[in-house]
Amino acid sequence: MRARHIAGWSHAKSGSRRVIVKSRMIRTPGRDGRARAHLTYIQRDGTSRDGQRGQLYGPETNRADGDAFLERGQDDRHQFRFIVSPEDAEQMQDLTAFTRDLMTQMGADLGTKLDWVAVNHFNTGHPHVHIVIHGHDDHGEDLVIASDYITQGVRERATELVTLELGPETALEQRRKLENMVGQDRFTRIDRQLLALAEDSPIDMRGDQGSDHVLRQRRLAKLEGMGLASQAEPGVWTLVQETEKTLRELGKRGDIIRAMNRAMHERGRAPDPALFVFHAPVSRETVEGRILDRHLSDELGEQIGLVIDGVDGRTHHVAGIDPSALEGVRNGSIIAVGPEVSGPRPADREIMSVAGNGGVYRSDAHLARARTMARLPGGDAEAYVASHVRRLEALRRAGVVERIEEGRWQIAGDYLERATAYDTSRAKQLSVRVLSSFDLDAQITADGATWLDRGLVSRGNSNVVDAGFGHEVTIARQRRQNVLIGRGDAWSDEHGQVRYRKGLLATLERRELDRVGGEMETARGTSYRTMADGERVRGTLKEKVRLASGTYALVENAQEFVLVPWKPVIEKRLGQEIAGVMRAGTIDWQLGRERGLGV
């Protein structure tokens, strides 16, 4: 469809009600599940007027089918997303009816019936609506909307509808709204006026300059206190170059703080802003704790922000999380968020194995070994070894390994740890590791190897601080310890020190897997089999199973099924046939060339 140009938009009409409209065009939205992720999170819990899950609606239904909507737009070249926020939304009778009127008017302006869904949000100080529009018109052709209509026309139409419903804004209303803006730590309408005045010269506030003069003087004094304005001489002001950017960033920070406060209150905890920690999307720090809340970092995008009750006694906000990492993870789960590295690569383990006790990796020895392997990824021994040599060269440049001569590298005893640390330093995304899907109370009495158990038997320095959530963890560990003693899995020695059964974690894990596997046998009609080290498994990946001991993959064939540790690499293979080998309590999945590439 050709773009239709609609000119002449003006927002200077006296008494018009203000509406903020944000928009974004997303290209190939059906790719990688991005459209689904966005639709899921604008319907998340706590966004409706009564605090429940947001309800998706459409032109003619109050309960739209999100799956059907996504299917209709699967092959669209693009998708349009809008956030429409009337300044006086609290006074409006029906935000849904307003949205339908707006979309009808937009369709008339563009000359086509629009395929759209929307969700109303009441979880902030200003009710607003999220609208998603497919990128095709009513003839199935690409929907193209002129840029001036996106940036100005939608706002103009929304303004007209709100003004029609509530009547023109009075001078008293306008004055009160401006007065409320004077002390705000965000970019306001008054700031926009001041920036316009400061465009060519300093702002001269000497003398009476109209009804907004006092408000502007008060706002300038506020900005001066924030270090964003100064007086060259009495009454003559200059603004720092980064004023607008700084105020907008402060506004975003304020929104995050309100979300953190709300999440703490819902947990019955008094929030302490002095213990709030904010992490950038590229943060190298790992945060461990309980998920309190989640929200879209950018409400027109897909990235997620998490509020985490940390084991260090602080409340953390982590931005930039891929929504796929949170699929099936409930609020209340205990997680670790950090750079996207899950541990040593299989390629690094192979290098360590070839190096052996002598600590020297030889490419010729590796090639001879590869030629004897029954299941070589890709079937090409030389290419397989070459991929490991490239890995070593990258690590050599980073100072992790030393090349002795052509084809020979010195491999230190802590090679795996150093190689993982190198990957961590280069990670561009944050990963989410689910430490426990069970809350603390459920872990205390569980028969599996819980997160609490791992903390009890760990000999390293604990990162748990006896404050906030860390205090809850400390108490829960003591209670779990008493349960283990009562079951005979732990005891107190003559010095009063608690001792644990040898191989406690493996024993508890096997105990839980045997119980769950036995229960599943009846339901599935196939036999459950435990796997020993070195055994192979082949079958269909049926589902992800979350237990106290961790997350497991249920792999089933015609005769039997197994439960084996889950790995992110199989996330997109549900319903497919997979194969792997059990090694040292974990599974080495054989996924074609991926394994040779260090997956």
Side-chain angles (χ1 to χ4, degrees):
M1 177 179 177
R2 296 177 61 188
R4 184 174 177 181
H5 183 79
I6 307 171
W9 301 111
S10 172
H11 305 283
K13 296 177 183 178
S14 177
S16 292
R17 301 279 176 171
R18 281 176 50 84
V19 179
I20 296 173
V21 176
K22 300 178 182 178
S23 62
R24 179 178 296 176
M25 185 180 73
I26 306 298
R27 297 191 180 278
T28 58
R31 184 183 301 171
D32 301 327
R34 291 179 300 144
R36 182 174 298 278
H38 180 75
L39 211 60
T40 296
Y41 279 93
I42 62 176
Q43 297 175 82
R44 66 189 184 277
D45 290 341
T47 56
S48 68
R49 192 182 291 276
D50 57 3
Q52 300 301 310
R53 184 173 172 80
Q55 181 57 59
L56 199 69
Y57 62 89
E60 299 172 350
T61 177
N62 290 330
R63 291 186 175 276
D65 186 336
D67 290 336
F69 177 78
L70 291 170
E71 186 175 348
R72 293 197 300 273
Q74 180 66 32
D75 299 323
D76 280 4
R77 189 182 69 175
H78 52 257
Q79 178 187 84
F80 297 98
R81 297 175 186 172
F82 291 89
I83 299 176
V84 181
S85 180
E87 190 175 57
D88 301 307
E90 284 285 7
Q91 302 177 42
M92 297 174 66
Q93 289 289 325
D94 189 343
L95 200 55
T96 299
F98 158 78
T99 303
R100 287 177 175 148
D101 288 343
L102 175 62
M103 299 309 296
T104 298
Q105 183 61 64
M106 286 178 60
D109 290 339
L110 298 170
T112 182
K113 185 176 181 180
L114 299 175
D115 188 357
W116 62 274
V117 290
V119 180
N120 300 334
H121 278 195
F122 299 91
N123 59 324
T124 66
H126 296 284
H128 55 278
V129 58
H130 288 256
I131 305 170
V132 182
I133 307 174
H134 277 326
H136 58 255
D137 62 15
D138 50 9
H139 295 294
E141 298 179 359
D142 289 340
L143 173 64
V144 182
I145 306 177
S147 60
D148 66 335
Y149 188 77
I150 290 177
T151 58
Q152 301 178 59
V154 178
R155 179 157 52 104
E156 182 79 356
R157 291 307 192 197
T159 295
E160 291 172 354
L161 290 170
V162 177
T163 305
L164 181 64
E165 177 179 345
L166 300 181
E169 187 177 55
T170 67
L172 181 59
E173 286 178 301
Q174 293 175 357
R175 182 73 178 183
R176 286 174 177 170
K177 289 174 182 178
L178 289 173
E179 287 176 346
N180 289 335
M181 295 176 187
V182 169
Q184 291 184 6
D185 293 333
R186 63 171 63 244
F187 189 69
T188 70
R189 203 186 315 171
I190 304 176
D191 300 318
R192 184 174 286 106
Q193 295 172 0
L194 292 173
L195 286 172
L197 291 173
E199 187 171 347
D200 300 318
S201 61
I203 304 171
D204 190 346
M205 296 297 292
R206 293 172 295 190
D208 187 2
Q209 301 174 20
S211 60
D212 293 339
H213 183 67
V214 174
L215 294 178
R216 290 174 182 170
Q217 285 184 318
R218 289 168 56 195
R219 182 60 177 173
L220 284 166
K222 165 72 175 179
L223 296 178
E224 183 180 32
M226 299 170 70
L228 299 176
S230 61
Q231 294 188 73
E233 57 180 290
V236 180
W237 297 81
T238 57
L239 301 177
V240 302
Q241 188 173 1
E242 299 291 312
T243 294
E244 181 174 355
K245 179 182 177 182
T246 301
L247 288 172
R248 290 191 183 280
E249 289 178 351
L250 283 173
K252 291 180 181 178
R253 177 65 61 88
D255 292 338
I256 292 171
I257 290 174
R258 280 187 286 277
M260 296 171 79
N261 281 330
R262 183 174 62 253
M264 295 293 284
H265 280 302
E266 289 174 355
R267 276 279 175 178
R269 297 257 302 279
D272 184 353
L275 297 176
F276 287 176
V277 185
F278 305 91
H279 302 266
V282 294
S283 174
R284 298 298 175 196
E285 182 180 355
T286 296
V287 178
E288 186 173 329
R290 174 175 61 194
I291 300 178
L292 291 180
D293 191 23
R294 69 189 80 190
H295 59 92
L296 289 169
S297 301
D298 175 358
E299 293 206 318
L300 289 168
E302 295 89 22
Q303 295 294 300
I304 305 302
L306 289 178
V307 180
I308 300 174
D309 210 356
V311 296
D312 59 359
R314 302 183 296 175
T315 305
H316 300 260
H317 182 270
V318 183
I321 305 295
D322 187 325
S324 64
L326 295 168
E327 190 169 342
V329 182
R330 301 185 302 269
N331 285 0
S333 298
I334 298 168
I335 63 170
V337 180
E340 191 178 20
V341 176
S342 57
R345 298 185 184 188
D348 290 326
R349 291 195 180 96
E350 177 81 354
I351 289 169
M352 196 74 176
S353 176
V354 173
N357 294 331
V360 176
Y361 171 90
R362 293 174 48 191
S363 58
D364 57 351
H366 194 188
L367 182 61
R369 169 173 164 164
R371 285 171 173 162
T372 66
M373 292 175 65
R375 297 182 61 85
L376 184 66
D380 186 338
E382 292 185 357
Y384 179 67
V385 172
S387 69
H388 291 73
V389 170
R390 288 194 297 271
R391 170 68 170 169
L392 285 167
E393 277 299 296
L395 295 174
R396 179 189 63 80
R397 292 191 291 270
V400 176
V401 298
E402 178 184 352
R403 187 171 64 188
I404 302 171
E405 60 184 14
E406 188 69 27
R408 296 177 67 199
W409 284 264
Q410 187 70 49
I411 307 299
D414 62 350
Y415 167 75
L416 292 180
E417 291 79 7
R418 295 176 67 186
T420 301
Y422 166 76
D423 288 339
T424 300
S425 69
R426 290 169 52 85
K428 296 180 180 179
Q429 288 185 317
L430 296 176
S431 68
V432 177
R433 287 188 296 119
V434 179
L435 305 178
S436 180
S437 299
F438 289 48
D439 62 23
L440 295 180
D441 287 339
Q443 290 184 58
I444 289 168
T445 57
D447 58 354
T450 69
W451 175 69
L452 291 175
D453 297 321
R454 292 180 175 86
L456 288 171
V457 302
S458 174
R459 296 182 180 180
N461 294 327
S462 175
N463 59 346
V464 177
V465 175
D466 193 16
F469 178 58
H471 178 69
E472 295 181 43
V473 173
T474 301
I475 299 301
R477 283 181 175 178
Q478 294 171 353
R479 293 177 60 195
R480 176 63 173 175
Q481 192 175 76
N482 292 335
V483 168
L484 294 175
I485 292 172
R487 293 175 178 172
D489 293 317
W491 61 90
S492 295
D493 63 17
E494 63 272 18
H495 303 293
Q497 296 293 317
V498 175
R499 305 293 181 184
Y500 299 97
R501 176 198 295 270
K502 185 178 180 180
L504 174 65
L505 297 179
T507 298
L508 293 175
E509 180 183 25
R510 178 54 53 204
R511 187 181 296 168
E512 182 181 36
L513 287 174
D514 287 345
R515 175 183 62 80
V516 173
E519 292 171 352
M520 285 184 166
E521 275 188 337
T522 303
R524 305 193 72 84
T526 53
S527 299
Y528 167 68
R529 177 172 70 88
T530 60
M531 289 190 63
D533 197 53
E535 279 195 279
R536 295 180 179 275
V537 59
R538 178 183 291 276
T540 302
L541 177 60
K542 290 291 188 179
E543 61 181 288
K544 181 188 293 186
V545 181
R546 299 189 188 276
L547 304 177
S549 299
T551 304
Y552 296 83
L554 192 156
V555 182
E556 185 176 41
N557 56 39
Q559 293 79 35
E560 60 190 10
F561 71 92
V562 297
L563 292 169
V564 293
W566 182 272
K567 282 187 176 180
V569 70
I570 62 174
E571 190 73 50
K572 296 182 180 180
R573 296 189 178 249
L574 281 170
Q576 299 179 21
E577 185 172 304
I578 58 175
V581 180
M582 179 70 83
R583 290 198 177 105
T586 187
I587 282 282
D588 183 4
W589 293 111
Q590 298 173 346
L591 305 175
R593 287 186 174 272
E594 290 183 0
R595 184 165 174 254
L597 294 174
V599 175

